[in-house]
Amino acid sequence: MKASAPGCPCGLAPVLFLLLAAPPTAATQKNGINIYSLTVDSKVSSRFAHTVVTSRVVNRANIMQEATFQVELPKRAFITNFSMVIGGVTYPGNIKEKAAAQEQYSAAVARGESAGLVKASGRKTEQFQVSVSVAPAAKVTFELVYEELLKRHLGAYELLLKVQPQQLVKHLQMDIHIFEPQGINFLETESTFMTNELADALTVSQNKTKAHIQFKPTLSQQKSPGQEDTVLDGNFIVRYDVHRTVSGGSIQIESGYFVHYFAPEGLPTIPKNVIFVIDKSGSMRGRKIQQTREALIKILDDLSPNDQFNLVSFSGEAAQWKPLLVPASAENVNQARSYAASIQTQGGTNINDAMLMAVQLLDSANQKELLPEGSVSLIILLTDGDPTVGETNPARIQKNVKEAIDGQYSLFCLGFGFDVSFAFLEKLALDNGGLTRRIYEDSDSTLQLQDFYQEVANPLLTAVTFEYPGNAVEKVSRDNFRLLFKGSEIVVAGKLRDQSPDVLSAKVRGQLHMQSITFQTESSVAEQEKEFQSPKYIFHSFMERLWAYLTIQQLLEQMVSASDAEKQALETRALNLSLQYCFVTPLTSMVVTKPEGKEWSEVAEKPVETKNKHRNFYLGGPLSRFRTAGDRRSRITAGPSGKTPSDLWRAGPQGPLNSPHPYPLMAGKSLLPDMLLAPSIPDEVFRGVDLRAKDAPQARVPAVASDPITGRIWERKASGSSTDLSQSAKTASPPGLLPASLRPGPRLVLVSQPALPTLGTTAAVPAPIQAPAVILMLPGQSVDRLCVDIKHSQGPMNLLSDPDQGVEVTAQYETEKAQFSWIEVTFKNPQLQVRAIPEHVVVTRNRRNSGYKWKETLFSVIPGVKLTMDKAGLLLLSSPDRVTIGLLPWDGPGEGLRLLLRDTDRFSSRVGGTLGQFYQDVLWGPPAAADDSKRMLRVQDLEYSATRLLKLDYQEGSPGTEISCWSVEL
């Protein structure tokens, strides 16, 4: 088998793997393609990731079958090698210049034999896929190699693996090796499929500079409970960061190349002047503008008191909130929040005027010397569409904005959805020292907007330049940067000259708020070379590949804003490096030759950001993940009307039902069959009721109904009488057939529901037993369980606070709805916040927000806290020496968010809060003489009346269990 191309150990950035032999498990096993080995080996050294994905399959069928190999890899990653081994013969992928590969590809397409192999597949990933025919009993080995330099995002590097084998795999193993000479500061793991049983298959070992994460589940651990399919379906994430110093510089050297990482700690934040430019055109209506409002309000809250800001909203015309920038005082922020909440959508999209208005606001403040000395000025544009009003030529808008900004301010563009030209926004931002992000239309769009703002919220340095001795280095990558933000990192790489000094020194100059600063770093060449000698963690000469990767990425970025003359030179350099180091980039392609014939080949090309996320690139035809001759799939087909069966149920009758009118008539009105009565309706029901009266109750009679008690099916005639169709079915229908009135066709059939009470009578319906707002477990007290209902609440409540435990729980309770609108749990060490709302949970750590939908499994281990969520939606926050706090989206009677507390004997004597007070000394009085279901309890200086009531215990999820507990109202 062809050896992997030498390269560097992998770095932790968003990395996804999706490995399939075929779509559904059943089809996979039935069609005989079996994955007997699946391995992922990711080696991370100095943030550079070298990942090898290997899948071994065998065809256990007695006919030829097709196997598909599929991997999702990061958009920033470059594929460096792919090969298939079939029958001892290796079929490699060859990387060529795109034009040369396209000729081979076009010839194959003309024969209808080829399809593109790589396409965009998700927010952070693109999908590599190849299929090959496999003879009976034959084996195939697929191997894909890709590399990536990780970017630091809000203080962490992240490795994301999507585990989805879709069948049980005898040998399934993931190994992640991390080597960071600076030292590993923290390491976290998270999974959306991990269970307590699977957790035993995960091992994490770590020392000062190295870590090894291994996931190796057995066949029994992979199985779903009581089934033969796999439980492995979801994400596996590793996050980490390295130790840093005030100097912030780390120079690492290997095989004649160096890399300089720069992210100093402890620097003060530079005040900023920020203009938010918000698209409110008609296309933003609905959820997009709602999420924009929510995000903008949260962002305004995060402004520093030293910042200045203003808002520009635009549709066909642009409008500014205030005539000048204003300080981010509490009063101004509150006014801006009200303005943001009132933004309404209408009209077209005039990006040109809005951008020029934003620049003019900054220019005017600058001329009046209203911008603080040394401050940073930013413009943040959010739009969801292309310009349609005013100046609509993208090139002229880019020219106008660039000339207006004139290098003074930085522009960041956010493209909401896929109706906006990403290329237009990308050039607009890169021309003006910023960057562009796509905001995906989803339930977490608000979080995406907030996260982007957090990236640029804290500027630390401006005008950052790197200086190295001219006699020591050459071929240095980009060495000057406009801004450095908190939580990010600047990376510079280059080659050491042959006669370079024994010690490499570097100076980094930058501008703080009110002064210049210079950082100096030195690194011993011999000591650094020795550091990278461990073959277990390092692919030798990896730093040369890191330098090539970084240089190519920067050249591609420079091409976006370069002139035509400059662009050609940049492209030539990037192409030559791509071919020399075997990277599949936007300038190269990989040609994969298949064993079906000498002429059969497929081409893998690097996708680019487009307007339509569903667009594929260079596809010769649709990609089928698993195809077998004779394979048939079941599907719902439409009847003669073109509707599916479910449509027919919703549509109602399409013709007469023993009545000249589609529905029986009463008092001149159609009686819609949306209400079920008892099978027979006596005439007495309607006696004394004027059916013509305006306020008369409108009885609604179904055409066909079933008795919920007897199960009999009744048909309501136009005359008002009823016929037992279940009896007709027994006597009039041939065996196996329903009567004509119940056969499929244009006839309404209503499913069984409880009968309604007869008109004119009142049925005594007992009120359902409700779940209390909170159930408190009180170990060691005379009453071991207390149900708490909240009847009076104004504003956020401090439910729990324990300084010794380092935990606080706050919440907002809506008394009208009798439910929590949100619950927030805050830990001091580690610094972690978990906020639950009815729609989802948001976990915030180091300013990073991660959103999770309820009832999606989660298993996250952060030093000091473990977060788990099961299919019922129970989220538990636990650690060995802390109280366990649970959050649950209860959907039983009294629905809403619920709080659970376990291990409450771990509360300290200093616990307090609305609920925490009950974990102090509680004195219970005896039951009342007149009514033993009532008693008093005293907590500190407060007295509460407790009543013995039936409640629903929500702690194990719906439908809950009925309990009798002492209940208090707060």
Side-chain angles (χ1 to χ4, degrees), residues 279 281 283 314-317 347-355 381-401 413 415 419-426 428 611:
D279 184 347
S281 60
S283 58
F314 70 95
S315 51
E317 296 179 347
T349 307
N350 192 337
I351 294 176
N352 188 74
D353 286 2
M355 288 304 305
L381 167 67
L382 171 67
T383 181
D384 77 329
D386 293 338
T388 61
V389 176
E391 179 58 76
T392 58
N393 183 297
R396 281 199 289 269
I397 295 174
Q398 290 162 345
K399 180 175 180 291
N400 293 343
V401 173
C413 298
D419 293 327
V420 64
S421 169
F422 190 87
F424 163 66
L425 292 182
E426 183 178 39
L428 197 63
K611 192 169 180 176

Side-chain angles (χ1 to χ4, degrees), residues 471-490:
N471 65 338
V473 301
E474 60 182 342
K475 299 181 179 178
V476 178
S477 62
R478 179 183 170 188
D479 59 6
N480 61 90
F481 303 84
R482 182 178 291 195
L483 286 166
L484 170 68
F485 293 101
K486 184 178 180 179
S488 67
E489 182 176 62
I490 295 177

Side-chain angles (χ1 to χ4, degrees), residues 436-488:
T436 300
R437 284 286 167 77
R438 190 185 297 282
I439 302 300
Y440 293 83
E441 293 185 58
D442 208 336
S443 59
D444 69 341
S445 297
T446 300
L447 289 180
Q448 295 177 55
L449 291 166
Q450 290 173 211
D451 265 4
F452 172 81
Y453 174 73
Q454 286 299 330
E455 287 185 60
V456 300
N458 297 287
L460 301 178
L461 286 173
T462 63
V464 184
T465 60
F466 290 71
E467 299 174 6
Y468 305 95
N471 65 338
V473 301
E474 60 182 342
K475 299 181 179 178
V476 178
S477 62
R478 179 183 170 188
D479 59 6
N480 61 90
F481 303 84
R482 182 178 291 195
L483 286 166
L484 170 68
F485 293 101
K486 184 178 180 179
S488 67

